[in-house]
């Protein structure tokens, strides 16, 4: 099979699941992964035959993609702020909205403050803490997740990027665990925020493949993590400190009010798609 035939076959198959643009993007991603050569060269050498190994890999990928598995899990990596992160089905695939959240936090964090201490709640692949540490190397960066499997993936990513992160394994909803965490200047989190009742509304391959522990929160209490973070910040956030949170687009107002009710100054921000997607809570200097 030539590279051109492979990519035509794959694109055609993907169009049964995805729209044409997404099918093309996934095809390019897979072809680059399998051949190790860039798009321009692939066009130039389109008649080149796959080696036996490449063909095996192609067939294996095609079966998993046909089952609706996201391309990031098929190839084992995802992109986040131009870095490649190892992912598997134990961790959420990092999202563009979360890149915006990290950029916001970085733009508001004085990089030269001595002894700067930061915590990310809900590590996943480790994309948030690793990016913070890369951008602010002098900061002490902590992260917590209840999933050991997720922490293992994040540790691999931290090793790949040679970043020193303080990993904590535990349930943030347990006040005892919160006591073991340090004093902080910045808290950031993309906690689970999709109520189970919205399960039908989201892409079925997200529901089938991504960890439910990362996505869903109990219907009756979608603010569960935000309230725990608000309480935690009362004791653990230094005066002048800030909390950056990714949110469900329907909960902007509630989470702004929640922050205010705990005495934080709250600012709501939209993502690139114009949806209420993040909130900043600042602890005023008395
Ligand atoms: N920060 C990553 C990102 O943005 O791609 C992952 C975010 S994912 C939406 C939420 C993460 O919170 C998951 O990794 C999940 O395992 C973790 N988590 C869920 N419940 C938790 C809890 N009670 N305590 C600590 N972490 C929790
Ligand atoms: N933004 C993710 C999604 O739409 C959910 C992330 C989360 O629950 N924190 O699937």
């Amino acid at each position: 099979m030539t590279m051109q035939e492979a990519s035509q076959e794959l694109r055609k198959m993907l169009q049964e699941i995805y729209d044409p643009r997404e099918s093309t993007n996934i095809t390019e991603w897979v072809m680059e992964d399998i051949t190790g050569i860039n798009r321009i060269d692939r066009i130039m050498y389109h008649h080149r035959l796959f080696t036996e190994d490449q063909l095996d890999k192609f067939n294996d990928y095609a079966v998993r993609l046909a089952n609706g598995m996201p391309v990031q899990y098929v190839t084992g990596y995802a992109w986040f702020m131009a870095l490649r992160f190892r992912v598997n089905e134990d961790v959420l695939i990092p999202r563009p909205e979360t890149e915006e959240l990290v950029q916001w936090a970085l733009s508001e964090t004085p990089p030269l403050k001595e002894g700067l201490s930061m915590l990310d709640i809900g590590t996943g692949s480790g994309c948030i803490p690793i990016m913070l540490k890369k951008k602010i190397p002098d900061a002490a960066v902590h992260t917590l997740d209840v999933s050991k499997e997720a922490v293992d993936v994040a540790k691999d990513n931290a090793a790949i990027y040679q970043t020193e992160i303080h990993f904590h394994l535990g349930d943030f909803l347990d006040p005892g665990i919160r006591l073991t965490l340090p004093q902080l200047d910045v808290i950031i989190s993309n906690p689970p925020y999709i109520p189970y009742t919205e399960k039908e509304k989201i892409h079925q391959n997200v529901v089938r493949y991504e960890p439910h522990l990362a996505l869903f929160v109990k219907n009756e209490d979608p603010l569960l993590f935000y309230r725990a973070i608000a309480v935690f910040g009362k004791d653990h956030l230094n005066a002048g400190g800030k909390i950056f949170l990714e949110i469900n687009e329907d909960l902007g107002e509630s989470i702004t009010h929640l922050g205010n009710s705990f005495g934080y100054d709250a600012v709501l921000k939209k993502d690139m798609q114009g949806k209420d997607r993040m909130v900043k809570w600042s602890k005023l200097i008395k």
Side-chain angles (χ1 to χ4, degrees), residues 92 94 98 122-124 127-128 145-146 170-173 190 192 213-214 225:
L92 188 88
T98 310
T123 314
C127 57
I128 297 178
D145 205 293
V146 71
D171 179 356
F172 185 74
L173 301 174
N190 172 20
L213 183 62
F225 283 91

Side-chain angles (χ1 to χ4, degrees), residues 107-218:
S107 73
E108 299 229 356
T109 305
L112 298 176
K113 182 178 178 293
E114 212 172 306
L116 190 76
S117 172
M118 310 175 93
L119 169 71
D120 160 54
I121 301 162
T123 314
S125 61
C127 57
I128 297 178
I130 292 169
M131 219 54 233
L132 294 175
K133 183 70 183 175
K134 277 194 80 73
K135 298 285 179 183
I136 313 180
D138 289 338
V141 178
H142 295 260
T143 187
L144 166 83
D145 205 293
V146 71
S147 155
K148 181 180 181 305
E149 291 76 17
V151 169
D152 287 343
V153 171
K155 281 183 176 169
D156 283 352
N157 281 317
I160 290 167
Y161 288 109
Q162 300 181 332
T163 43
E164 191 198 344
I165 310 286
H166 304 284
F167 287 99
H168 304 258
L169 179 63
D171 179 356
F172 185 74
L173 301 174
D174 171 357
I177 295 289
R178 302 206 288 262
L179 285 176
T180 66
L181 296 167
Q183 281 302 116
L184 299 152
D185 299 295
V186 176
I187 297 170
I188 183 165
S189 183
N190 172 20
Y193 59 65
I194 305 174
Y196 266 104
T197 36
E198 283 185 22
K199 201 166 155 186
E200 307 308 321
K201 284 199 232 155
I202 60 179
H203 238 290
Q204 279 316 292
N205 52 356
V206 171
V207 179
R208 269 179 65 203
Y209 287 100
E210 300 209 55
H212 288 193
L213 183 62
L215 293 169
F216 296 113
V217 64
K218 288 187 244 157

Side-chain angles (χ1 to χ4, degrees), residues 6 9-11 13-18 22-23 25-31 33-34 57-76 205 208-209:
E9 186 179 303
L10 186 63
R11 189 177 297 110
M13 183 275 279
L14 287 168
Q15 281 183 5
E16 287 170 26
I17 317 178
Y18 300 99
E22 211 165 355
S23 305
N25 289 342
I26 297 171
T27 301
E28 296 300 339
W29 179 315
V30 165
M31 293 303 292
D33 183 85
I34 291 178
K57 203 168 175 182
F58 177 81
N59 288 330
D60 169 50
Y61 281 14
V63 169
R64 288 191 284 155
L65 288 164
N67 279 326
M69 182 185 269
V71 66
Q72 292 87 344
Y73 291 146
V74 172
T75 58
N205 52 356
R208 269 179 65 203
Y209 287 100

